[in-house]
Amino acid sequence: MVYILGIESSCDDTAAAITGDTKILANIIANQEVHKNFGGVVPEWASRAHQQNIIPVVETAIRQANINKNEITAIAFTRGPGLLGSLLVGTSFAKAFALGLGIPLIEVDHMQAHVLAHFIQKGPNTKKLPSFPFLCLTVSGGHSQIVLVKDYFEMEVIGRTIDDAAGEAFDKAAKIMGLPYPGGPVIDQLAKEGNHLAYTFAVPNIKDLDYSFSGLKTSFLYFLRDQLKLDSSFIEKNKADLSASIQHAIVTSLIKKVKFAAKQTGIREIAVSGGVSANSYLQKKLTEAGTEENWNVYIPEFSFTTDNAGMIAVAGYFKYCKGEFAKQDAVPYSRSH
Amino acid sequence: MSVVIEKRCSSLSELDAIASELLEQCKDKRLFALFGPMGAGKTTFTQAICRQLGVIDQVSSPTFAIINEYRTAGGDAVYHFDFYRIKIIEEAMDIGYEQYFFSGSYCFIEWPEKIEELLPEGCVNVHIEETINENERIIRYSLNPE
């Protein structure tokens, strides 16, 4: 069994995971619970928070995986893209730990890992996996892209947002309505009670397979501003319908381009990843589109959709199999390449 | 005495000329703070400026990432910040904002209100204001002789 320790610290969350081959043994994100065992509270944010989180999450992951640290075969870490200060913490820790244990180091690209999260096995190896080539819609707070996945590490971004990400559109729509952050899950819940055809919010038609959500945010903002002038409790009265309608606009736009991409490439293996893939309406609409278009649709388990280290560990496993290792002088990168 | 430049932009097609003029007027400046409410067009204006600078990467909203880094055709770095999600000033310090602000590379900063006390002298404050006309904006900045 190949045991990989995965480390993720590219943005807000510090995470560590252990895989045994492709099977997940522990998938830990720093939270209050992890810190309780270390007698502290979870710090606010950013690189200093990662410094405080890194040891507790790794310790917790190793303990939960029920292995000894000397059994770890290799350490995989997120090298980028992300915030440099945050990435440095995970990178430095991974290097030091690998050096100390005398085991190989593996660098992982965060965006590739989001796609490879589909290959994480939870129970016995019975889960149906996407077969190459497949299309992956990666949608999160910071990204909206359609990736053509030819092999584990052969990926091409064939569509991307030209302004706001889909997750950002959800969060900002929620903010406009005065709902709490992160707004995506709140809108998802409220929308279940609402009519998605109550209001029409147009999503601009952008060329090719690209996305644009900035205009949608602005038209939502102006619509509410005008309505509030006529009725100051407009949002309060209609938040379910508003949530359902804005969600419908975002999801419709996401699926439309996936359909285009599928037609263009002739690929019928369709996967979705990233935090927004947890949205129940997106899952429903994607599944429906799959039935219509005769696709095989792959939706990962929630804990592997948001930023997590399980996906880093599994990506590390595939690199380990290829014998692709990082050197001790590897430095983080902030932008995708 | 500072000279205030005010531009009325009534369609997206006018934005590139305004961006070009801003860069021309502020030739020796590298830091630009973009003030304006949500939906005013801070990211859109940054896109227009980056087009003028010859940025080859997709310029998109850094709200989630906090910092986006782009490259120009000539290989220069351009940094695009968004402090919308910042809650306390220490978070910006943790990011190591000085490394970017004093790098000599162009920096465009959205939601600078959140870190106003960290904005260095010589930073150009650009205000984008909405008008009653939905597609119209007033873009205002001042030139301070130093």
Side-chain angles (χ1 to χ4, degrees), chain A residues 19-162:
Chain A
T19 47
D21 293 342
T22 59
K23 190 166 175 239
I24 194 86
L25 302 177
N27 193 26
I28 310 293
I29 294 177
N31 59 21
Q32 223 58 268
E33 199 54 40
V34 168
H35 277 270
K36 212 157 62 187
N37 299 324
F38 284 79
V41 291
V42 66
E44 269 282 298
W45 207 77
S47 45
R48 200 175 316 170
H50 287 300
Q51 293 265 20
Q52 285 170 275
N53 288 335
I54 190 88
I55 303 277
V57 290
V58 170
E59 287 260 14
T60 308
I62 294 173
R63 200 177 330 122
Q64 196 177 319
N66 206 15
I67 60 166
N68 185 294
K69 67 175 188 289
N70 296 316
E71 292 177 80
I72 299 170
T73 318
I75 299 176
F77 66 98
T78 307
R79 191 175 155 203
L83 274 169
L84 286 180
S86 300
L87 289 164
L88 267 173
V89 177
T91 305
S92 306
F93 175 85
K95 284 183 189 177
F97 202 30
L99 202 60
L101 293 172
I103 56 175
L105 190 62
I106 301 165
E107 64 175 67
V108 170
D109 181 274
H110 182 85
M111 296 310 293
Q112 287 193 343
H114 266 304
V115 175
L116 296 175
H118 281 280
F119 296 95
I120 302 174
Q121 296 282 2
K122 211 166 173 195
N125 294 5
T126 49
K127 196 179 87 175
K128 200 168 176 298
L129 304 174
S131 53
F132 300 114
F134 65 93
L135 295 175
C136 188
L137 172 69
T138 306
V139 270
S140 66
H143 296 277
S144 300
Q145 46 183 232
I146 300 175
V147 187
L148 168 58
V149 189
K150 297 170 196 161
D151 202 348
Y152 292 113
F153 297 102
E154 206 183 318
M155 303 184 193
E156 188 188 335
V157 179
I158 57 174
R160 62 183 64 69
T161 180
I162 63 158

Side-chain angles (χ1 to χ4, degrees), chain A residues 3-300:
Chain A
Y3 291 111
I4 306 282
L5 165 65
I7 308 276
E8 154 67 27
S9 70
S10 66
C11 198
D12 295 5
D13 294 320
T14 325
I18 305 269
T19 47
D21 293 342
T22 59
K23 190 166 175 239
I24 194 86
L25 302 177
N27 193 26
I28 310 293
I29 294 177
N31 59 21
Q32 223 58 268
E33 199 54 40
V34 168
H35 277 270
K36 212 157 62 187
N37 299 324
F38 284 79
V41 291
V42 66
E44 269 282 298
W45 207 77
S47 45
R48 200 175 316 170
H50 287 300
Q51 293 265 20
Q52 285 170 275
N53 288 335
I54 190 88
I55 303 277
V57 290
V58 170
E59 287 260 14
T60 308
I62 294 173
R63 200 177 330 122
Q64 196 177 319
N66 206 15
I67 60 166
N68 185 294
K69 67 175 188 289
N70 296 316
E71 292 177 80
I72 299 170
T73 318
I75 299 176
F77 66 98
T78 307
R79 191 175 155 203
L83 274 169
L84 286 180
S86 300
L87 289 164
L88 267 173
V89 177
T91 305
S92 306
F93 175 85
K95 284 183 189 177
F97 202 30
L99 202 60
L101 293 172
I103 56 175
L105 190 62
I106 301 165
E107 64 175 67
V108 170
D109 181 274
H110 182 85
M111 296 310 293
Q112 287 193 343
H114 266 304
V115 175
L116 296 175
H118 281 280
F119 296 95
I120 302 174
Q121 296 282 2
K122 211 166 173 195
N125 294 5
T126 49
K127 196 179 87 175
K128 200 168 176 298
L129 304 174
S131 53
F132 300 114
F134 65 93
L135 295 175
C136 188
L137 172 69
T138 306
V139 270
S140 66
H143 296 277
S144 300
Q145 46 183 232
I146 300 175
V147 187
L148 168 58
V149 189
K150 297 170 196 161
D151 202 348
Y152 292 113
F153 297 102
E154 206 183 318
M155 303 184 193
E156 188 188 335
V157 179
I158 57 174
R160 62 183 64 69
T161 180
I162 63 158
D163 41 54
D164 297 359
E168 184 179 344
F170 273 108
D171 285 340
K172 291 211 166 147
K175 170 95 179 172
I176 294 167
M177 288 194 282
L179 303 173
Y181 180 91
V186 183
I187 287 185
D188 192 355
Q189 270 310 314
L190 281 171
K192 287 181 179 150
E193 311 292 319
N195 172 11
H196 67 274
L197 299 174
Y199 310 102
T200 308
F201 299 108
V203 176
N205 249 324
I206 299 296
K207 67 168 175 56
D208 306 329
L209 299 172
D210 288 343
Y211 290 112
S212 166
F213 293 107
S214 170
L216 180 68
K217 169 187 74 190
T218 314
S219 71
F220 189 64
L221 183 71
Y222 288 160
F223 173 75
L224 287 181
R225 192 183 58 185
D226 294 346
Q227 293 302 318
L228 285 172
K229 277 182 203 154
L230 306 170
D231 175 3
S232 62
S233 56
F234 181 80
I235 295 178
E236 194 46 45
K237 282 181 197 155
N238 300 296
K239 60 184 179 192
D241 284 350
L242 287 165
S243 295
S245 301
I246 192 80
Q247 176 173 269
H248 177 70
I250 297 168
V251 167
T252 304
S253 165
L254 288 174
I255 292 188
K256 189 169 130 190
K257 292 297 171 88
V258 173
K259 281 187 180 172
F260 283 170
K263 284 216 170 71
Q264 254 181 42
T265 57
I267 292 171
R268 292 191 295 107
E269 295 279 296
I270 310 290
V272 59
S273 68
V276 179
S277 64
N279 179 275
S280 65
Y281 191 66
L282 174 61
Q283 294 190 354
K284 177 172 169 259
K285 286 294 173 187
L286 198 63
T287 308
E288 282 174 16
T291 312
E292 270 168 43
E293 308 280 330
N294 203 16
W295 296 339
N296 293 316
V297 173
Y298 302 89
I299 298 168

Side-chain angles (χ1 to χ4, degrees), chain A residues 12 162 168 222 334-335, chain B residues 47 57 61 69 85 94 130:
Chain A
D12 295 5
I162 63 158
E168 184 179 344
Y222 288 160
S334 58
R335 58 197 273 280
Chain B
Q47 289 175 331
D57 296 316
S61 168
E69 183 181 337
R85 298 200 301 135
D94 265 4
E130 295 169 292

